[in-house]
Amino acid sequence: MSETTNKRTLIGRVVSDKMDKTVTVLVERRVKHPMYDKIIVRSQKYHAHNEGNEAKAGDLVEIQEGRPISKTKAWSVTKLLEKAVAI
């Protein structure tokens, strides 16, 4: 009975890394308005487990859905796609 289930993955930007082993990731998606046919941006924030604190604010990361780790955290950082540019 070993069924493989595909876990959801999302790509977003880290907006906060103030917590220990946790980052807040902002995921934006573009949808078409049903009445006006204009493209609008919808966004959602997720708390993701960041083992080792490797992801910092401004980084582009891939997160994967998993079992609940805490009250608000059920996602984990799987890849660090792009480091933030320091100004």
Side-chain angles (χ1 to χ4, degrees):
M1 295 258 332
S2 61
E3 296 180 20
T4 58
T5 58
N6 293 335
K7 295 184 180 181
R8 290 191 297 165
T9 60
L10 298 172
I11 295 175
R13 189 135 330 247
V14 176
V15 292
S16 173
D17 62 343
K18 294 177 193 258
M19 296 171 276
D20 187 33
K21 294 186 180 179
T22 305
V23 289
T24 304
V25 179
L26 180 73
V27 176
E28 291 182 337
R29 59 190 182 92
R30 299 163 60 90
V31 295
K32 194 174 196 177
H33 193 282
M35 183 175 177
Y36 300 115
D37 291 336
K38 182 172 178 161
I39 302 294
I40 54 177
V41 178
R42 298 285 186 190
S43 62
Q44 174 108 25
K45 288 183 184 177
Y46 297 95
H47 285 160
H49 187 65
N50 181 22
E51 189 65 42
N53 293 322
E54 69 270 0
K56 300 295 180 191
D59 293 348
L60 191 68
V61 294
E62 180 183 77
I63 58 176
Q64 184 178 34
E65 189 178 34
R67 66 177 182 82
I69 299 169
S70 70
K71 180 181 176 182
T72 60
K73 190 165 60 166
W75 294 79
S76 297
V77 175
T78 55
K79 287 185 203 165
L80 183 62
L81 301 174
E82 178 184 300
K83 293 291 278 181
V85 178
I87 298 174

